[in-house]
């Protein structure tokens, strides 16, 4: 499998915005579940948002609803995470992941995803 590649992380002040990108191969990207997860130091990995590339259905963690938006550009085989109104507690390493899941199961269970990127760091200062 070709590993997804994340980009777009950085440092921002609270209330600011960042957009993360995840590039995947065409084979990896077609009709799969793609998601964003994050892990802060000393904490477990948690799901942020997911989208089924074959139909666009989305799923969000309660902690980011109304602030983050997941989207896709099928022509570029690229997944995005627009993050607005960032908070210090959003600070974490953000990972893109791909799983061969049907839309019904395209949620945020990390164990269901089998192809992970290396991550991109997001730091939000108060």
């Amino acid at each position: 499998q070709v590993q997804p590649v994340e980009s777009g992380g950085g440092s921002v002040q609270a209330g600011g915005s960042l957009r993360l990108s995840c590039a995947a191969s065409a084979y990896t990207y077609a009709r799969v579940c793609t998601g964003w997860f994050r892990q802060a130091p000393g904490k477990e990995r948690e799901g942020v948002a997911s989208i089924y590339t074959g139909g666009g259905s989305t799923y969000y963690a309660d902690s980011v609803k109304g602030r983050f938006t997941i989207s896709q550009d099928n022509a570029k085989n690229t997944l995005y995470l627009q993050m607005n109104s960032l908070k210090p507690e959003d600070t974490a390493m953000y990972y893109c992941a791909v799983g061969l899941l049907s839309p019904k199961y395209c949620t945020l269970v990390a164990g269901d995803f089998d192809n992970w990127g290396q991550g991109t760091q997001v730091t939000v200062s108060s």
Side-chain angles (χ1 to χ4, degrees):
Q1 290 180 334
V2 177
Q3 191 174 34
V5 179
E6 305 96 335
S7 62
S11 297
V12 64
Q13 289 191 327
S17 299
L18 283 173
R19 188 177 80 157
L20 306 183
S21 299
C22 172
S25 70
Y27 177 79
T28 303
Y29 192 77
R31 294 183 177 274
V32 296
C33 180
T34 55
W36 289 98
F37 293 78
R38 66 187 181 186
Q39 188 167 19
K43 295 187 177 181
E44 292 187 355
R45 186 169 296 187
E46 65 169 337
V48 176
S50 65
I51 186 168
Y52 181 71
T53 62
S57 59
T58 58
Y59 188 89
Y60 293 92
D62 289 342
S63 59
V64 305
K65 281 181 181 177
R67 300 189 299 122
F68 291 10
T69 302
I70 190 170
S71 63
Q72 59 189 23
D73 185 332
N74 290 348
K76 297 181 179 179
N77 298 325
T78 301
L79 179 72
Y80 301 100
L81 184 69
Q82 178 67 43
M83 305 185 294
N84 299 328
S85 302
L86 283 162
K87 304 175 181 180
E89 51 264 43
D90 294 318
T91 295
M93 184 71 80
Y94 282 71
Y95 299 90
C96 173
V98 180
L100 297 178
L101 303 167
S102 65
K104 177 181 178 181
Y105 297 103
C106 185
T107 56
L108 293 170
V109 178
D112 291 340
F113 293 78
D114 55 9
N115 193 8
W116 293 78
Q118 294 290 337
T120 185
Q121 178 68 38
V122 171
T123 302
V124 184
S125 59
S126 58

